[in-house]
Amino acid sequence: MDTKELLKKVRKIEIKTRRLSNHIFGGEYHSTFKGRGMTFSEVRQYQYGDDIRAIDWNVTARYNEPYIKVFEEERELTMMLVVDISGSEFFGTSEQFKKDTVTEIAATLAFSAIQNNDKVGLILFSDQVELYIPPKKGKSHVLRIIRELIEFQPKSKQTNISEALKFLSNIMKKKAIVFMLSDFMDDNYERTLKIVGNKHDVTGIRVYDKHDEEIPNLGMVPMTDAETGKTHLINTSSSSVRTQYKANALRLSDYFETTFKKSGSGTISTRVDESYVKKLLGYFKRKG
């Protein structure tokens, strides 16, 4: 992709996702993810209706009229976007690939964070950590994150969620808001997620295509595994083949839901042909 085309794509995603974060998610994000506590801001004169427990008795005695302490939320937080860029993300039978939807959701979350003066960082992973961008503030930083989400070419096509979680656990020493975006076509990450979930506020966002779960009856079809590169001739007319395919997909989605809930983490599942806006808003409102 040349620079002009890349900038055009970045701009298109910025316009769409920034509008969402400004008009919809900014307030919801702020009310859902609280700051680390309250910090002293100033002292002002008591007004009718103020909480008498906030009266500063030393200042009140000095001026012979009531003054109260004003506190404000210590807001600054860190958001980490942990994004799957393995081969299965480059799949889609609707309007776009799973990767495209993941990019839009990640951009929306990033703009919501900087609107609230929080830092944003990025981890791109396959079966290894492919790229780490440390958390920073600012629009230019978010635009860099979007550029990487669009154009980064992974070394591997396979998936290892546990490896990404281990890396996150090692680099993030303070509590962070973590959004992991993937189709979660992997298992065996329960133990690592539990460790991360005990320290951080984690949400798994599962983005999937309808044909991840159901294979259509098309007769004998050569199918290539996006992660291994191997091609097999599959008889999609066979009901047992279609049943087995669906059962494996349901096993992985059930594992995702169960494992995240066990670790105290949140989950969102959205299909590429559904509105992720409604899913995110509903989640923020329930969580808040």
Side-chain angles (χ1 to χ4, degrees), residues 35-92:
R36 288 191 291 258
M38 304 302 287
T39 184
F40 174 74
S41 174
E42 62 178 344
V43 173
R44 65 163 171 79
Q45 282 185 298
Y46 177 86
Q47 296 172 4
Y48 178 77
D50 286 336
D51 189 341
I52 60 169
R53 291 174 296 183
I55 291 176
D56 186 321
W57 294 107
N58 289 331
V59 178
T60 297
R62 193 181 311 145
Y63 291 100
N64 205 27
E65 57 180 311
Y67 277 77
I68 65 162
K69 292 177 182 176
V70 178
F71 293 86
E72 61 184 24
E73 185 183 358
E74 191 181 350
R75 174 66 221 172
E76 187 178 292
L77 299 170
T78 297
M79 176 195 286
M80 285 303 302
L81 298 168
V82 185
V83 179
D84 181 357
I85 54 168
S86 62
S88 63
E89 296 301 321
F90 293 83
F91 175 75

Side-chain angles (χ1 to χ4, degrees), residues 213-232:
E213 297 189 332
E214 290 192 16
I215 190 169
N217 184 348
L218 300 170
M220 295 295 288
V221 177
M223 300 183 78
T224 303
D225 187 314
E227 300 209 352
T228 65
K230 292 180 180 177
T231 301
H232 303 277

